[in-house]
Amino acid sequence: MKKLFAFSVLTACLALNTSAQWKPAGDKIKTDWATQIDPGNVLPEYPRPIMERSEWKNLNGLWNYAVIDKGAALPQNFEGEILVPFAIESSLSGVGRTLGEQAELVYRRDFTTPSQWRGQRVLLHFGAVDWKADVWVNDVKVGSHTGGFTPFSFDITAALNANGKNTLTVKVWDPTDKGPQPRGKQVSRPEGIWYTPVSGIWQTVWLEPVPQRYIENLRITPDIDNHRLTVEVQTSDPVASDLLEVAVYDGEALVASAKSINGQPVEVAMPADAKLWSPDSPNLYDLKVSLRDGKKVIDAVDSYAAMRKFSTARDKDGIVRLELNNEPLFQYGPLDQGWWPDGLYTAPTDEALLYDIQKTKDFGFNMIRKHIKVEPARWYTYCDRLGIIVWQDMPSGDRNPEWQNRKYFEGTELTRTPESEATYRKEWKEIMDCLYSYPCIGTWIPFNEAWGQFKTVEIAKWTKQYDPTRLVNPASGGNHYTCGDMLDLHNYPAPEMYLYDAQRATVLGEYGGIGLVLKDHLWEPDRNWGYVQFNSSKEATDEYVKYADMLLQLVKRGFSAAVYTQTTDVEVEVNGLMTYDRKVIKLDEKRVSEINRRICKSLEK
């Protein structure tokens, strides 16, 4: 007992010492969640609920770091500690330093693997690293990855030490706006609608033990018309005799199950009265997926699915409408950029990550346009659970935001280099792959406006062919080509229908931008920006309701969806429904919610 007590005291002292060494960098505004961060227990939640195993180890926390010249040898000495998974430019990293395209960021930490993992393979997972990552374990190169928005993993088993004590090194290069890669709103010199760079590790890093042969990925496709749920189970080292089994549960009750061999998709016959997923009733089924050799279970994961369908159809007036589950639904939501004053791309806590989605629901919206950013897996799971449809943008890049002689239809497009085009295609495919199984994803958006827009017809066609279960919005507010499922207009500040497409759904991809400056909640006290600005919450709310009434009239004329700018203030933009630090809801939530719910139900029979 004395030894146990001594160990507990030592552990507590070490934790306190670790916390004392770390503090947020800079003097910018912060969220309340930033004060809740424990450097020894950062974002401890399981990072991938769509495919979950019980055994895993979180590697978030304080790592050693050094900034070196691009191309220099890995350092022997380090400058200090950085809190992973917060980008080096962020306050919560504890560093708050711009990296730049002529430098590389090197991380290092030691880790141990539990003794009970012996005999298993060990996977090293990264939620996202911006932009190019090279990884070593015990000075053995285990892999590289390019792409700032998608998860990747390496089998590091052969590089691990027998005694379980190991060293992990990660080197990152991120050219921000000096390269053609997808980057969204990041620029070297932030101003206006362009924000601080995000470099390095910005999502959870974790270890996972798996059997010698294991389930690598799931691709889940619902079909409500044929009462079928198809689960493609990708395995490592597949064997024809492997038996794949999927069991579907509604709570504790087994609803349906099916099996396959020879690597065939598992096709589960669902009941004719299966519960459908919608914003009003976000019904989810639990899945248990197993890989068997005869009766022996080799590997098993927990997942979930929803029965739902996204499509378009003409209404009684001949207007092409967006449909959910074969019924017209006006999809209405905010432009959500997913930025944080303290963590930049990374929410300070899981509670914070959930908060923006919950508030979107409270405001009466049924959709979110995730604007030129990809979120961690848990964000999409929360949208699945709460019932929020997601329009997913591809992060823009290359000569972003340069306009290419924009015309309303078929303007001159950007000609990308072969390297730039290959980078775009690789990352867009990876984004679609990692998000495919989330029920909430309703629309893919390959381009925003004309920011890096190229080969629009070809890219839109490929996107639809690769995933025919979702709608494709080929260019939100950009050079418009007659392809995809919708024509998307942008107009600020008031809604306006200046074009209409009788063959596709016509949507308002951005409008609004009503600004309200709140003195103690500004990123930069002397610099702020909005399309229109008001002096009080009542004035801003009145303007919002006025625009919403205008939108209701335009629904009758042919709009089938709309996106309001935006969820929160972001850096010097002050046109959010909430302040950047999430401490103040700027508009009258009750009034906004009432009119929003009317808009969302405007097409119901």
Side-chain angles (χ1 to χ4, degrees):
M1 181 63 74
K2 287 182 180 180
K3 288 184 179 180
L4 179 60
F5 177 75
F7 177 77
S8 300
V9 171
L10 176 60
T11 303
C13 290
L14 287 172
L16 286 171
N17 187 45
T18 299
S19 299
Q21 292 173 351
W22 170 86
K23 65 178 182 179
D27 58 0
K28 299 284 191 181
I29 57 172
K30 296 175 178 61
T31 65
D32 285 337
W33 296 288
T35 65
Q36 302 170 14
I37 290 179
D38 173 5
N41 193 32
V42 183
L43 294 171
E45 296 80 14
Y46 188 81
R48 190 192 56 198
I50 198 73
M51 197 179 92
E52 187 166 352
R53 292 184 177 91
S54 58
E55 283 285 319
W56 70 293
K57 181 172 183 175
N58 197 327
L59 295 185
N60 291 342
L62 289 168
W63 296 36
N64 294 320
Y65 85 95
V67 175
I68 62 173
D69 292 337
K70 185 176 185 292
L74 292 174
Q76 297 302 311
N77 299 308
F78 288 80
E79 300 176 34
E81 292 184 315
I82 185 171
L83 189 61
V84 170
F86 299 105
I88 188 172
E89 296 90 349
S90 73
S91 171
L92 293 182
S93 71
V95 181
R97 173 179 173 182
T98 300
L99 186 62
E101 77 280 7
Q102 297 302 321
E104 292 175 317
L105 171 59
V106 180
Y107 300 82
R108 184 167 292 169
R109 67 155 290 165
D110 294 332
F111 69 92
T112 60
T113 54
S115 58
Q116 62 266 32
W117 290 10
R118 287 176 185 164
Q120 300 186 80
R121 295 165 79 167
V122 177
L123 305 181
L124 171 63
H125 294 278
F126 295 84
V129 179
D130 197 355
W131 179 73
K132 181 180 187 294
D134 294 284
V135 183
W136 293 260
V137 173
N138 299 323
D139 298 323
V140 176
K141 184 74 174 286
V142 297
S144 298
H145 180 263
T146 59
F149 299 94
T150 52
F152 58 97
S153 62
F154 306 118
D155 184 338
I156 62 171
T157 312
L160 295 174
N161 288 327
N163 63 8
K165 295 179 181 179
N166 304 278
T167 300
L168 170 60
T169 305
V170 180
K171 183 178 73 172
V172 179
W173 176 64
D174 177 24
T176 307
D177 54 0
K178 302 302 188 293
Q181 83 289 350
R183 65 179 182 276
K185 289 288 192 81
Q186 304 174 55
V187 292
S188 300
R189 296 183 178 179
E191 61 178 347
I193 64 171
W194 307 101
Y195 315 140
T196 304
V198 174
S199 302
I201 299 168
W202 67 272
Q203 289 186 31
T204 292
V205 185
W206 52 295
L207 297 170
E208 180 181 39
V210 294
Q212 294 303 312
R213 292 196 295 117
Y214 61 96
I215 296 169
E216 285 187 331
N217 190 38
L218 304 176
R219 189 174 172 91
I220 304 167
T221 308
D223 181 350
I224 69 169
D225 296 326
N226 294 297
H227 314 295
R228 183 169 58 231
L229 184 68
T230 301
V231 182
E232 299 172 67
V233 184
Q234 180 182 343
T235 62
S236 67
D237 308 316
V239 176
S241 60
D242 283 345
L243 180 66
L244 305 172
E245 182 173 9
V246 175
V248 181
Y249 291 85
D250 182 4
E252 298 296 320
L254 178 65
V255 172
S257 64
K259 303 173 184 178
S260 74
I261 59 170
N262 294 323
Q264 291 297 299
V266 182
E267 297 184 354
V268 184
M270 296 293 287
D273 61 349
K275 298 176 181 177
L276 301 183
W277 182 95
S278 72
D280 288 337
S281 301
N283 298 301
L284 298 175
Y285 289 98
D286 293 325
L287 304 184
K288 294 189 180 299
V289 183
S290 57
L291 165 64
R292 297 171 181 265
D293 181 1
K295 293 185 177 180
K296 180 184 177 183
V297 176
I298 301 173
D299 191 21
V301 296
D302 291 332
S303 186
Y304 65 87
M307 298 300 291
R308 60 94 186 95
K309 175 186 177 183
F310 294 105
S311 58
T312 62
R314 294 189 185 277
D315 67 9
K316 58 181 177 58
D317 298 315
I319 298 171
V320 178
R321 300 296 190 184
L322 306 185
E323 292 199 326
L324 174 64
N325 302 331
N326 299 320
E327 296 290 341
L329 176 69
F330 192 90
Q331 296 182 24
Y332 184 41
L335 192 76
D336 189 315
Q337 309 208 56
W339 284 75
W340 300 85
D342 33 38
L344 299 180
Y345 263 11
T346 311
T349 68
D350 193 62
E351 182 184 358
L353 189 71
L354 170 61
Y355 180 80
D356 283 5
I357 308 169
Q358 182 61 62
K359 291 314 299 179
T360 299
K361 193 80 173 178
D362 294 344
F363 277 121
F365 294 111
N366 61 13
M367 176 262 279
I368 287 172
R369 180 180 169 202
K370 178 48 62 178
H371 190 41
I372 52 178
K373 183 199 177 191
V374 180
E375 293 289 355
R378 292 184 65 84
W379 188 90
Y380 297 93
T381 292
Y382 282 135
C383 290
D384 291 337
R385 291 175 181 172
L386 292 180
I388 288 284
I389 298 167
V390 175
W391 289 16
Q392 178 62 55
D393 285 14
M394 169 64 174
S396 52
D398 207 321
R399 283 154 61 185
N400 165 32
E402 181 181 328
W403 285 84
Q404 304 302 317
N405 299 322
R406 179 184 183 276
K407 298 178 182 178
Y408 285 137
F409 278 91
E410 302 190 6
T412 304
E413 291 191 292
L414 173 67
T415 299
R416 293 194 181 219
T417 66
E419 176 194 10
S420 172
E421 180 172 339
T423 298
Y424 174 95
R425 291 178 183 273
K426 171 185 177 290
E427 294 198 27
W428 186 221
K429 180 180 180 297
E430 286 185 359
I431 288 168
M432 293 179 66
D433 283 341
C434 76
L435 298 181
Y436 179 88
S437 294
Y438 293 95
C440 63
I441 304 287
T443 296
W444 299 115
I445 306 179
F447 300 108
N448 176 71
E449 297 180 347
W451 299 353
Q453 185 179 347
F454 76 104
K455 295 185 178 179
T456 309
V457 174
E458 182 181 336
I459 296 295
K461 182 178 179 181
W462 178 86
T463 301
K464 190 69 174 183
Q465 288 176 336
Y466 195 61
D467 181 6
T469 71
R470 266 83 176 208
L471 304 178
V472 176
N473 180 347
S476 183
N479 286 341
H480 298 302
Y481 291 76
T482 51
C483 58
D485 296 298
M486 58 189 82
L487 167 67
D488 182 319
L489 312 179
H490 290 182
N491 199 75
Y492 287 99
E496 183 182 337
M497 186 187 295
Y498 51 86
L499 291 172
Y500 175 77
D501 192 329
Q503 305 306 317
R504 298 177 295 167
T506 302
V507 306
L508 182 62
E510 292 181 28
Y511 85 99
I514 299 169
L516 176 62
V517 176
L518 295 183
K519 180 181 176 184
D520 296 324
H521 304 275
L522 299 175
W523 178 255
E524 293 187 20
D526 300 323
R527 187 164 65 122
N528 55 74
W529 179 88
Y531 287 97
V532 290
Q533 292 202 28
F534 294 87
N535 297 315
S536 71
S537 176
K538 183 181 185 306
E539 289 175 342
T541 303
D542 288 344
E543 193 75 357
Y544 181 92
V545 173
K546 182 179 83 173
Y547 292 168
D549 283 331
M550 295 168 66
L551 178 60
L552 272 171
Q553 298 307 310
L554 292 171
V555 174
K556 299 173 185 176
R557 289 177 47 195
F559 270 146
S560 293
V563 176
Y564 176 80
T565 301
Q566 61 184 330
T567 307
T568 71
D569 296 348
V570 185
E571 298 204 354
V572 299
E573 288 188 61
V574 292
N575 50 15
L577 296 166
M578 298 182 284
T579 55
Y580 196 19
D581 57 15
R582 277 71 167 178
K583 293 179 179 179
V584 181
I585 295 172
K586 297 165 67 176
L587 274 60
D588 185 324
E589 185 176 334
K590 184 173 183 294
R591 290 180 63 197
V592 170
S593 177
E594 287 174 352
I595 190 70
N596 285 356
R597 294 180 196 282
R598 284 179 58 200
I599 292 170
C600 290
K601 296 189 178 298
S602 59
L603 295 181
E604 290 187 0
K605 297 175 182 177

